Amino acid sequence: MELDGRVAVVTGGTRGVGAGIARAFLRAGARVVVCARRPPDEPVEDGGRKAVFVPLDLREPAEVVAFFAGVGERYGRLDALVNNAGGTPYRLLGEGDAERHARVVELNLIAPLTVSLAAYELLRASRGAIVMVGSVSGTRPSPGAAAYGAAKAGLENLARSMAVEWAPEVRVNSLVLGMVRTELSHLHYGDEDGIAAVGATVPLGRLAEPADVGEAAVFLASDRAAYVSGASLLVHGGGERPAFLDAATVNKES
């Protein structure tokens, strides 16, 4: 198992994509710590191995610093940090004041910066890796999630700058996610028919599963990616078919 003996922290690792990432690290042999404001409904586990849950509000810098001090005391090392926590409700710009939108930026951009700074010394000592969980929302217009898209664009740039400043001791990369099927998919895509219809728009014909994201995160944290830093790995099933192809009245597929 390629991460045997290593220690990984996954923020927001109690459900959805984060839990999928945590399980992938467990399968790879790592000791995994997940943090979130609320505990998971069920322990995050895989193959009889369980992640350790620690409550943490990522918007509180003092709590974040204390959390990583605790990781250092308990495990003596940190090899991988996955900045997964984030998200946003659907909200058009005119439906919220600046403070509401700023909180979205705080969770999706400022919090990963706060966490990475707090984890830096542990990661430097182990020559570890950071994986930022980004989104295609940061690379295209995101109506209804403008602040989220702006934050994810900033997160990808932050990762590239970190990769230069913190080399060669710490590698930093981003996963740029498309649509992922989780327990909250119905909030974004509707019922099962809506989810299936949305999945059909993806070239690979389905939404990603959390496990798909987890395997990509393990790769970036492992020695297989030893010469990969400052990179953005697209995990989006081929992206989106350009709308103009369907709107055009020529060059139709038979």
Side-chain angles (χ1 to χ4, degrees):
M1 299 173 74
E2 56 193 318
L3 298 183
D4 267 353
R6 301 189 190 183
V7 177
V9 166
V10 182
T11 68
T14 57
R15 66 180 185 179
V17 171
I21 293 171
R23 292 187 184 103
F25 274 84
L26 289 169
R27 285 194 298 276
R31 293 173 286 174
V32 180
V33 181
V34 297
C35 58
R37 286 187 296 170
R38 292 179 291 275
D41 294 331
E42 299 177 354
V44 178
E45 59 184 328
D46 192 279
R49 305 181 68 245
K50 294 183 180 181
V52 172
F53 169 73
V54 178
L56 177 63
D57 186 344
L58 298 177
R59 294 188 177 106
E60 297 295 335
E63 287 187 28
V64 173
V65 170
F67 167 81
F68 283 102
V71 170
E73 291 172 6
R74 178 167 182 170
Y75 299 100
R77 62 185 297 153
L78 177 62
D79 301 277
L81 165 64
V82 183
N83 278 308
N84 162 78
T88 184
Y90 182 87
R91 181 182 293 120
L92 296 172
L93 283 169
E95 295 177 352
D97 57 22
E99 184 177 358
R100 278 184 180 273
H101 295 303
R103 286 185 63 80
V104 173
V105 176
E106 182 182 12
L107 176 61
N108 290 280
L109 177 58
I110 304 304
L113 173 59
T114 301
V115 170
S116 299
L117 289 169
Y120 171 69
E121 290 298 337
L122 286 171
L123 290 167
R124 184 177 67 83
S126 65
R127 298 184 75 89
I130 296 174
V131 179
M132 302 291 196
V133 177
S135 170
V136 294
S137 293
T139 64
R140 56 160 170 72
S142 297
Y148 175 79
K152 290 300 188 180
L155 185 67
E156 193 172 350
N157 187 273
L158 174 64
R160 290 174 181 156
S161 296
M162 279 185 177
V164 173
E165 288 197 24
W166 291 358
E169 290 85 7
V170 180
R171 293 186 300 106
V172 187
N173 293 290
S174 296
L175 294 176
V176 181
L177 306 188
M179 297 174 288
V180 185
R181 181 174 183 131
T182 71
E183 60 267 39
L184 299 180
S185 291
H186 65 282
L187 298 178
H188 302 284
Y189 314 124
D191 58 15
E192 285 299 316
D193 289 341
I195 292 171
V198 171
T201 69
V202 179
L204 288 187
R206 64 175 178 87
L207 304 186
E209 297 293 337
D212 296 319
V213 180
E215 295 302 323
V218 166
F219 163 70
L220 289 178
S222 74
D223 292 340
R224 297 188 187 195
Y227 200 64
V228 180
S229 194
S232 297
L233 176 59
L234 296 171
V235 185
H236 63 4
E240 300 174 342
R241 177 179 170 82
F244 79 86
L245 292 175
D246 296 321
T249 58
V250 295
N251 301 322
K252 295 293 186 181
E253 297 178 4
S254 58

